[in-house]
Amino acid sequence: FIFDGTEYVKTDALEIVDSFVGFYSLHSEGLNASSSLEGFNAATLGFQEKVTPIIDNVQYMLDTLQMDLYEQADTIEGGISGAIGQLDSFSSQSLEWQAEIYHYEAQELGFRAIRRSAVLAIFLASFAFGFLGLLCIIGTKTVCRKVVHMLQLTGVFSALLGTISLVSASVLLA
């Protein structure tokens, strides 16, 4: 876990104290000769009095945090599991939506040619009626007079077919 191996705080401080002792044993003659023994002893005592309580407090704080995390491990793990479950659910739901979209796209592709052909046929029929009416206007025969009425009907028929083609194209898109 996070706080495994934090005992170095205490052990390193104890090693520093031990290094004072080691330094003294190696250099005691020099310390005595230079009259620095009192300063060295004061520094060693000061370290023990001032730094050791701080180290103990830091170690206690780390131990407390470690225990709090151990006690809350189940809660943290449950939260993580819940979040993973929600993400898995969202992922599967997204895949289902994607499959549904692909299904509807495939259906639309099947109707696309039919829809285009139907709309084109409606506009071609309207064009044919308009062309027949134009021929009747050019020709002045009596038979064509009946077709002039057809030209008037073509306007209504074109409007009707245009509306039907737009509605049918919209319905086939949906």
Side-chain angles (χ1 to χ4, degrees), residues 44-99:
T44 305
L45 186 62
F47 183 84
Q48 289 176 346
E49 288 177 354
K50 293 179 181 175
V51 176
T52 304
I54 294 171
I55 292 168
D56 289 340
N57 286 339
V58 169
Q59 187 65 46
Y60 176 75
M61 181 181 65
L62 290 173
D63 292 341
T64 303
L65 285 172
Q66 183 178 9
M67 291 308 297
D68 286 348
L69 280 178
Y70 282 142
E71 290 172 5
Q72 298 299 323
D74 292 338
T75 304
I76 293 169
E77 191 174 311
I80 291 171
S81 296
I84 289 172
Q86 289 175 353
L87 288 173
D88 287 342
S89 174
F90 179 72
S91 173
S92 64
Q93 184 66 41
S94 296
L95 291 174
E96 288 175 16
W97 289 338
Q98 185 179 20

Coordinates of all heavy atoms in Angstrom, one line a residue, residues 44-99:
T44 N 24.9 16.7 19.8 CA 24.3 15.4 20.0 C 23.1 15.4 20.8 O 22.0 14.9 20.5 CB 25.3 14.4 20.5 OG1 26.5 14.4 19.7 CG2 24.7 13.0 20.6
L45 N 23.2 16.1 22.0 CA 22.1 16.2 22.9 C 20.9 17.0 22.3 O 19.8 16.7 22.4 CB 22.5 16.8 24.2 CG 21.5 16.9 25.3 CD1 21.1 15.5 25.7 CD2 22.0 17.7 26.5
G46 N 21.3 18.1 21.6 CA 20.3 18.9 20.9 C 19.5 18.1 19.9 O 18.3 18.3 19.7
F47 N 20.2 17.3 19.1 CA 19.6 16.5 18.1 C 18.6 15.5 18.7 O 17.5 15.4 18.3 CB 20.6 15.7 17.3 CG 20.0 14.9 16.2 CD1 19.8 15.5 14.9 CD2 19.7 13.6 16.4 CE1 19.2 14.7 13.9 CE2 19.2 12.8 15.3 CZ 18.9 13.4 14.1
Q48 N 19.0 14.9 19.8 CA 18.2 13.9 20.5 C 17.0 14.6 21.1 O 15.9 14.1 21.1 CB 19.0 13.2 21.5 CG 20.0 12.2 21.0 CD 20.8 11.5 22.0 OE1 20.8 11.9 23.2 NE2 21.5 10.5 21.6
E49 N 17.2 15.8 21.7 CA 16.0 16.5 22.4 C 15.1 17.1 21.4 O 13.9 17.2 21.6 CB 16.6 17.5 23.3 CG 17.3 17.0 24.5 CD 17.8 18.1 25.4 OE1 17.8 19.3 25.0 OE2 18.3 17.8 26.5
K50 N 15.6 17.7 20.3 CA 14.7 18.4 19.4 C 14.2 17.6 18.2 O 13.0 17.7 17.8 CB 15.4 19.7 18.9 CG 15.7 20.6 20.0 CD 16.4 21.8 19.5 CE 16.7 22.8 20.6 NZ 17.5 23.9 20.2
V51 N 15.0 16.8 17.6 CA 14.7 16.1 16.4 C 13.9 14.8 16.7 O 13.0 14.5 16.0 CB 15.9 15.8 15.5 CG1 15.6 15.0 14.3 CG2 16.6 17.2 15.1
T52 N 14.3 14.1 17.7 CA 13.7 12.8 18.0 C 12.2 13.0 18.3 O 11.4 12.2 17.8 CB 14.4 12.1 19.2 OG1 15.8 12.0 18.9 CG2 13.8 10.8 19.5
P53 N 11.7 14.0 19.1 CA 10.2 14.1 19.2 C 9.5 14.4 17.9 O 8.4 13.9 17.6 CB 10.1 15.3 20.2 CG 11.4 15.4 20.9 CD 12.4 14.9 19.9
I54 N 10.2 15.2 17.0 CA 9.6 15.5 15.7 C 9.4 14.2 14.9 O 8.4 13.9 14.3 CB 10.4 16.5 15.0 CG1 10.3 17.9 15.7 CG2 9.9 16.7 13.5 CD1 11.3 18.9 15.2
I55 N 10.5 13.4 14.9 CA 10.5 12.1 14.2 C 9.4 11.2 14.7 O 8.7 10.6 14.0 CB 11.9 11.5 14.3 CG1 12.9 12.3 13.5 CG2 11.8 10.0 13.8 CD1 14.3 11.9 13.8
D56 N 9.3 11.2 16.1 CA 8.2 10.3 16.7 C 6.8 10.8 16.2 O 6.0 10.0 15.9 CB 8.3 10.4 18.2 CG 9.5 9.6 18.7 OD1 10.1 8.8 18.0 OD2 10.0 9.9 19.9
N57 N 6.6 12.1 16.2 CA 5.3 12.7 15.7 C 5.1 12.3 14.3 O 3.9 12.0 13.9 CB 5.3 14.2 15.9 CG 5.1 14.5 17.4 OD1 4.7 13.7 18.2 ND2 5.5 15.8 17.7
V58 N 6.1 12.5 13.4 CA 5.9 12.2 12.0 C 5.6 10.7 11.8 O 4.7 10.3 11.1 CB 7.2 12.6 11.2 CG1 7.1 12.0 9.8 CG2 7.3 14.1 11.2
Q59 N 6.3 9.8 12.5 CA 6.1 8.4 12.4 C 4.7 8.1 12.9 O 4.0 7.2 12.3 CB 7.1 7.6 13.2 CG 7.0 6.1 13.1 CD 7.3 5.7 11.6 OE1 8.3 6.1 11.0 NE2 6.5 4.8 11.1
Y60 N 4.2 8.7 14.0 CA 2.9 8.5 14.5 C 1.8 8.9 13.5 O 0.8 8.2 13.3 CB 2.7 9.2 15.9 CG 1.3 9.1 16.4 CD1 0.8 8.0 17.0 CD2 0.4 10.2 16.3 CE1 -0.5 7.9 17.5 CE2 -0.9 10.1 16.8 CZ -1.3 8.9 17.4 OH -2.6 8.8 17.9
M61 N 2.1 10.0 12.9 CA 1.1 10.5 11.8 C 1.1 9.6 10.7 O 0.0 9.2 10.2 CB 1.6 11.9 11.4 CG 0.7 12.5 10.3 SD 1.2 14.1 9.8 CE 2.8 13.7 9.0
L62 N 2.2 9.1 10.2 CA 2.2 8.1 9.1 C 1.5 6.8 9.5 O 0.7 6.2 8.7 CB 3.6 7.8 8.7 CG 4.3 9.0 8.0 CD1 5.8 8.6 7.7 CD2 3.7 9.3 6.6
D63 N 1.7 6.3 10.7 CA 1.0 5.1 11.2 C -0.5 5.3 11.3 O -1.2 4.4 10.9 CB 1.6 4.7 12.6 CG 3.0 4.2 12.5 OD1 3.5 3.9 11.4 OD2 3.7 4.2 13.6
T64 N -0.9 6.5 11.7 CA -2.3 6.8 11.8 C -2.9 6.8 10.4 O -4.0 6.3 10.2 CB -2.5 8.2 12.5 OG1 -1.9 8.1 13.8 CG2 -4.0 8.5 12.7
L65 N -2.3 7.5 9.5 CA -2.8 7.5 8.1 C -2.9 6.2 7.5 O -3.9 5.8 6.8 CB -1.9 8.4 7.3 CG -2.0 9.9 7.5 CD1 -1.0 10.7 6.7 CD2 -3.4 10.4 7.0
Q66 N -1.9 5.4 7.8 CA -1.9 4.0 7.3 C -3.1 3.2 7.8 O -3.7 2.5 7.1 CB -0.6 3.3 7.6 CG -0.4 1.9 7.1 CD 0.9 1.3 7.4 OE1 1.7 1.9 8.2 NE2 1.2 0.2 6.8
M67 N -3.3 3.3 9.1 CA -4.4 2.6 9.7 C -5.8 3.1 9.2 O -6.7 2.3 8.9 CB -4.4 2.7 11.3 CG -3.2 2.0 11.9 SD -3.1 0.2 11.4 CE -4.6 -0.4 12.0
D68 N -5.9 4.4 9.0 CA -7.1 5.0 8.5 C -7.4 4.5 7.0 O -8.5 4.2 6.7 CB -7.1 6.5 8.5 CG -7.2 7.1 9.9 OD1 -7.6 6.4 10.8 OD2 -7.0 8.3 10.0
L69 N -6.3 4.4 6.3 CA -6.5 3.9 4.9 C -6.9 2.4 4.9 O -7.7 1.9 4.2 CB -5.2 4.1 4.1 CG -5.0 5.5 3.5 CD1 -3.7 5.6 2.8 CD2 -6.2 5.8 2.6
Y70 N -6.2 1.6 5.8 CA -6.6 0.2 5.9 C -8.0 0.0 6.3 O -8.7 -0.8 5.8 CB -5.7 -0.5 6.9 CG -4.3 -0.8 6.4 CD1 -3.2 -0.7 7.3 CD2 -4.1 -1.3 5.2 CE1 -1.9 -1.0 6.8 CE2 -2.8 -1.6 4.7 CZ -1.8 -1.5 5.5 OH -0.5 -1.8 5.1
E71 N -8.5 0.9 7.3 CA -9.9 0.8 7.7 C -10.9 1.2 6.6 O -12.0 0.7 6.5 CB -10.1 1.7 8.9 CG -9.4 1.1 10.2 CD -9.5 2.1 11.4 OE1 -10.1 3.2 11.2 OE2 -8.9 1.8 12.4
Q72 N -10.5 2.1 5.7 CA -11.4 2.6 4.7 C -11.1 1.8 3.4 O -11.7 2.2 2.4 CB -11.1 4.1 4.5 CG -11.5 4.9 5.7 CD -12.9 4.8 6.1 OE1 -13.8 4.7 5.2 NE2 -13.2 4.8 7.4
A73 N -10.3 0.8 3.4 CA -10.0 0.1 2.1 C -11.2 -0.5 1.5 O -11.4 -0.5 0.3 CB -8.9 -1.0 2.4
D74 N -12.1 -1.1 2.3 CA -13.3 -1.7 1.8 C -14.2 -0.6 1.1 O -14.8 -0.9 0.1 CB -14.1 -2.4 2.9 CG -13.4 -3.6 3.4 OD1 -12.5 -4.2 2.6 OD2 -13.6 -4.1 4.5
T75 N -14.3 0.5 1.8 CA -15.2 1.6 1.2 C -14.6 2.1 -0.1 O -15.3 2.3 -1.1 CB -15.2 2.8 2.2 OG1 -15.7 2.3 3.4 CG2 -16.1 3.9 1.7
I76 N -13.3 2.3 -0.1 CA -12.6 2.7 -1.4 C -12.8 1.7 -2.5 O -13.1 2.0 -3.6 CB -11.1 3.0 -1.1 CG1 -11.0 4.3 -0.1 CG2 -10.4 3.3 -2.4 CD1 -9.6 4.5 0.4
E77 N -12.5 0.4 -2.1 CA -12.7 -0.6 -3.1 C -14.1 -0.7 -3.6 O -14.3 -1.0 -4.8 CB -12.2 -2.0 -2.4 CG -12.1 -3.1 -3.4 CD -11.5 -4.3 -2.8 OE1 -10.5 -4.2 -2.1 OE2 -12.1 -5.4 -3.0
G78 N -15.1 -0.6 -2.7 CA -16.5 -0.6 -3.1 C -16.8 0.5 -4.1 O -17.5 0.4 -5.1
G79 N -16.3 1.7 -3.8 CA -16.5 2.9 -4.7 C -15.9 2.6 -6.1 O -16.5 3.0 -7.1
I80 N -14.7 2.1 -6.0 CA -14.0 1.8 -7.3 C -14.8 0.7 -8.1 O -15.0 0.9 -9.3 CB -12.5 1.4 -7.1 CG1 -11.7 2.6 -6.6 CG2 -11.9 0.8 -8.3 CD1 -10.3 2.2 -6.1
S81 N -15.2 -0.3 -7.4 CA -16.0 -1.3 -8.1 C -17.3 -0.8 -8.6 O -17.7 -1.1 -9.7 CB -16.3 -2.5 -7.1 OG -15.1 -3.1 -6.7
G82 N -18.0 0.1 -7.9 CA -19.2 0.7 -8.4 C -18.9 1.6 -9.6 O -19.7 1.5 -10.6
A83 N -17.9 2.3 -9.6 CA -17.5 3.1 -10.8 C -17.2 2.3 -12.0 O -17.6 2.6 -13.1 CB -16.3 4.1 -10.4
I84 N -16.5 1.2 -11.8 CA -16.2 0.3 -12.9 C -17.5 -0.3 -13.4 O -17.6 -0.5 -14.6 CB -15.1 -0.8 -12.4 CG1 -13.8 -0.1 -12.2 CG2 -15.1 -1.9 -13.4 CD1 -12.7 -1.0 -11.6
G85 N -18.4 -0.7 -12.5 CA -19.6 -1.3 -12.9 C -20.4 -0.3 -13.8 O -21.0 -0.6 -14.8
Q86 N -20.5 1.0 -13.3 CA -21.2 2.0 -14.1 C -20.5 2.2 -15.5 O -21.3 2.4 -16.5 CB -21.2 3.3 -13.3 CG -22.1 3.2 -12.1 CD -22.1 4.5 -11.3 OE1 -21.3 5.4 -11.5 NE2 -22.9 4.6 -10.3
L87 N -19.2 2.2 -15.5 CA -18.5 2.4 -16.8 C -18.8 1.2 -17.7 O -19.0 1.4 -18.9 CB -17.0 2.6 -16.6 CG -16.6 3.9 -16.0 CD1 -15.1 3.9 -15.7 CD2 -16.9 5.0 -16.9
D88 N -18.8 0.0 -17.2 CA -19.2 -1.2 -18.0 C -20.6 -1.1 -18.5 O -20.9 -1.4 -19.6 CB -19.0 -2.5 -17.1 CG -17.5 -2.8 -16.9 OD1 -16.6 -2.3 -17.6 OD2 -17.2 -3.6 -16.0
S89 N -21.5 -0.7 -17.6 CA -22.9 -0.5 -18.0 C -23.0 0.5 -19.2 O -23.7 0.3 -20.1 CB -23.7 -0.1 -16.8 OG -25.1 0.2 -17.2
F90 N -22.3 1.6 -19.0 CA -22.4 2.7 -20.0 C -21.8 2.1 -21.3 O -22.3 2.4 -22.4 CB -21.6 3.9 -19.6 CG -21.6 5.0 -20.6 CD1 -22.7 5.7 -20.9 CD2 -20.4 5.3 -21.3 CE1 -22.7 6.7 -21.8 CE2 -20.4 6.3 -22.2 CZ -21.5 7.0 -22.5
S91 N -20.7 1.4 -21.2 CA -20.1 0.8 -22.4 C -21.0 -0.1 -23.1 O -21.2 -0.1 -24.4 CB -18.8 0.1 -22.0 OG -18.2 -0.6 -23.1
S92 N -21.6 -1.0 -22.4 CA -22.6 -2.0 -23.0 C -23.8 -1.3 -23.6 O -24.2 -1.6 -24.7 CB -23.0 -3.1 -22.1 OG -23.7 -2.5 -21.0
Q93 N -24.3 -0.2 -22.9 CA -25.4 0.5 -23.5 C -25.0 1.3 -24.7 O -25.8 1.3 -25.7 CB -25.9 1.5 -22.4 CG -27.1 2.3 -22.8 CD -28.3 1.4 -23.0 OE1 -28.6 0.6 -22.1 NE2 -29.1 1.7 -24.0
S94 N -23.8 1.8 -24.8 CA -23.3 2.5 -26.0 C -23.2 1.5 -27.1 O -23.6 1.8 -28.3 CB -22.0 3.1 -25.7 OG -22.1 4.1 -24.8
L95 N -22.7 0.3 -26.9 CA -22.6 -0.7 -27.9 C -24.0 -1.1 -28.4 O -24.2 -1.3 -29.6 CB -21.9 -1.9 -27.4 CG -20.4 -1.7 -27.2 CD1 -19.8 -3.0 -26.5 CD2 -19.7 -1.3 -28.4
E96 N -25.0 -1.2 -27.5 CA -26.4 -1.5 -28.0 C -26.9 -0.4 -28.8 O -27.6 -0.7 -29.8 CB -27.3 -1.7 -26.7 CG -27.0 -3.0 -26.0 CD -27.8 -3.1 -24.7 OE1 -28.8 -2.4 -24.6 OE2 -27.5 -4.0 -23.9
W97 N -26.7 0.9 -28.4 CA -27.2 2.0 -29.2 C -26.5 2.0 -30.6 O -27.1 2.2 -31.6 CB -26.9 3.3 -28.5 CG -27.7 3.6 -27.3 CD1 -29.0 3.0 -27.0 CD2 -27.4 4.4 -26.3 NE1 -29.4 3.5 -25.9 CE2 -28.5 4.4 -25.3 CE3 -26.4 5.3 -26.0 CZ2 -28.5 5.1 -24.2 CZ3 -26.4 6.0 -24.8 CH2 -27.5 5.9 -23.9
Q98 N -25.2 1.7 -30.6 CA -24.5 1.6 -31.9 C -25.0 0.5 -32.8 O -25.2 0.8 -34.0 CB -23.0 1.4 -31.6 CG -22.1 1.4 -32.8 CD -20.7 1.2 -32.5 OE1 -20.3 0.7 -31.5 NE2 -19.8 1.6 -33.4
A99 N -25.3 -0.6 -32.2 CA -25.9 -1.7 -33.0 C -27.3 -1.3 -33.6 O -27.6 -1.6 -34.7 CB -26.0 -3.0 -32.2

